[in-house]
Amino acid sequence: MTNDLFADDAAMRNTVLSDGALLLRGFALDAARNLLGCVDDITRAAPFRQMLTPSGVMSVAMSNCGQFGWISDQNGYRYSALDPLSGQPWPALPIALLDLAKNAAAKAGFKDFSPNACLINRYAPSAKMGLHQDKNEGNFSAPIVSISLGLPAIFLWGGLQRSDPAMRVPLVHSDVIVFGGASRLRYHGVLTVKDGIHPATAACRINLTLRQVRVANTQRVC
Ligand code: MD6
Ligand code: FE
């Protein structure tokens, strides 16, 4: 009941960030506790790890669930059906997560979103994510659905060129962003997460991004 009131209040503050990008405030409020339980289960099987990139180690710790997972090493980024740490497939995408992502996408006008990959980002205080485009999916007609849980953060919402000015969007627990269409390849990032304690996650921010990856674009074996 209380949650419904908060959710209604939050929904009144939904915001179009740009053409094809919608911020759904509080959209994950009812599901949040269950989703965080799923993250615990997933990361027992596929632990959080700080991946390497061609330019150094990432401050954000990552894991994945679903048919494909986003991975990076000194050679670059790609999707893989197997967790390179274990050589095993990633844990399955929980139904609750799939349902939430489909509902969010539909609300933003993307009717047939069928994600097969979910990247799980964990930000400890002082972690951040630099401006980037998500362009390894091989399928830019599908949107990406992004769920924020725990500590707040400032999301940077840029343009189609890295040098375009970026809007600063404060995100809090249970906010969901759907971005696709004309916004699918916009640059975005996350400013350094500040110290704090959130009742749902303690001293971290968790971000889940659900993607529809084209199978032909992935690496099947590591
Ligand atoms: C984050 N999100 O919010 C990082 N990418 O922690 C992303 O990089 C992202 O939120 C693609 C689509 C939505 C996102
Ligand atoms: Fe991204």
Side-chain angles (χ1 to χ4, degrees), residues 12-33:
M12 287 168 62
R13 292 179 292 113
N14 288 348
T15 309
V16 176
L17 298 178
S18 56
D19 183 16
L22 182 63
L23 167 54
L24 300 166
R25 296 262 180 217
F27 194 81
L29 211 49
D30 288 342
R33 184 192 288 263

Side-chain angles (χ1 to χ4, degrees), residues 9-207:
D9 178 52
M12 287 168 62
R13 292 179 292 113
N14 288 348
T15 309
V16 176
L17 298 178
S18 56
D19 183 16
L22 182 63
L23 167 54
L24 300 166
R25 296 262 180 217
F27 194 81
L29 211 49
D30 288 342
R33 184 192 288 263
N34 184 23
L35 296 184
L36 287 166
C38 294
V39 169
D40 283 344
D41 292 343
I42 290 162
T43 54
R44 260 192 292 277
F48 282 115
R49 79 288 310 258
Q50 285 174 264
M51 296 192 197
L52 285 177
T53 71
S55 52
V57 61
M58 299 186 81
S59 59
V60 178
M62 296 178 168
S63 183
N64 290 279
C65 62
Q67 194 184 357
F68 299 105
W70 185 93
I71 60 170
S72 177
D73 59 24
Q74 58 272 49
N75 300 315
Y77 322 125
R78 59 205 176 275
Y79 281 91
S80 169
L82 302 179
D83 177 350
L85 279 188
S86 64
Q88 297 298 307
W90 299 100
L93 233 172
I95 299 293
L97 186 51
L98 189 64
D99 283 349
L100 184 86
K102 284 178 178 245
N103 289 339
K107 195 143 180 113
F110 299 97
K111 298 290 174 228
D112 301 311
F113 185 46
S114 183
N116 56 1
C118 177
L119 171 63
I120 307 172
N121 293 321
R122 185 183 67 190
Y123 296 72
S126 87
K128 63 178 178 186
M129 190 173 294
L131 273 185
H132 65 277
Q133 290 173 298
D134 285 48
K135 56 178 185 187
N136 295 122
E137 292 72 28
N139 173 10
F140 302 139
S141 58
I144 293 180
V145 172
S146 165
I147 305 165
S148 291
L149 298 168
L151 287 180
I154 305 288
F155 191 65
L156 290 175
W157 187 235
L160 292 173
Q161 307 293 326
R162 184 182 287 279
S163 55
D164 288 343
M167 189 161 89
R168 291 174 175 225
V169 183
L171 295 180
V172 301
H173 180 66
S174 294
D175 285 348
V176 175
I177 295 177
V178 182
F179 82 81
S183 290
R184 178 61 180 75
L185 289 173
R186 278 187 179 247
Y187 279 88
H188 57 279
V190 177
L191 291 184
T192 304
V193 170
K194 295 211 173 106
D195 247 325
I197 298 289
H198 190 281
T201 59
C204 71
R205 170 176 186 261
I206 300 284
N207 171 256

